[in-house]
Amino acid sequence: MVYADEEELADMEICHPYCIEYLTDILSDLKERSFYRAIDVAGGDGRLSESFLQKYYSKVDLFDGCPLAVERAKAALSHLSCFGYAEQAYMQEFRWRFYYSAIFMVWCVGYLERVQLVTFLRTAKSRLMT
């Protein structure tokens, strides 16, 4: 399994700073929200978790369908005190362990069929902290 081809990796490099800026703006408006635990859905090598989520959340978890990406994420995040776990799983089969303050899905939503995405989002909604 390939984590991302060269074109997709190049696109991620270009888009990542804009994504971080956009997410920072959104979170700055959420003064009344919990910032306890976040999950990085299809988090790849942990880039979003390391450069953004760990600054806002006490615990950060990650899953991805690619075993190589998960190993890279574990290596990149293992030194962070907020790192919870990273596991290999696909969105269609992921088993929720915790309730989350936030569920981040950046690149992955375009890879699911509509019914699969709706099912995942309904399950994710039930795992959000209120």
Side-chain angles (χ1 to χ4, degrees), residues 9-111:
L9 285 172
D11 289 344
M12 287 180 195
E13 287 296 323
I14 293 167
C15 293
H16 187 72
Y18 299 108
C19 179
I20 298 300
E21 181 180 334
Y22 180 71
L23 292 172
T24 301
D25 289 345
I26 290 172
L27 287 186
S28 67
D29 291 338
L30 300 177
K31 307 280 188 240
E32 303 282 326
R33 301 290 293 171
S34 170
F35 291 100
Y36 174 63
R37 186 174 216 122
I39 188 159
D40 191 354
V41 175
D45 61 8
R47 178 185 323 210
L48 182 67
S49 293
E50 184 175 30
S51 64
F52 180 74
L53 298 179
Q54 62 104 7
K55 295 175 185 174
Y56 289 92
Y57 294 91
S58 300
K59 284 288 180 197
V60 176
D61 303 326
L62 174 147
F63 75 89
D64 194 278
C66 177
L68 175 60
V70 171
E71 290 309 310
R72 288 180 180 172
K74 287 177 182 177
L77 303 174
S78 63
H79 71 282
L80 300 175
S81 62
C82 68
F83 178 57
Y85 72 93
E87 74 174 62
Q88 192 273 321
Y90 294 101
M91 291 173 67
Q92 303 91 319
E93 63 192 29
F94 179 69
R95 301 290 179 245
W96 297 89
R97 296 184 192 183
F98 302 102
Y99 287 94
Y100 291 94
S101 302
I103 299 168
F104 286 83
M105 302 180 345
V106 178
W107 289 88
C108 59
V109 295
Y111 293 100

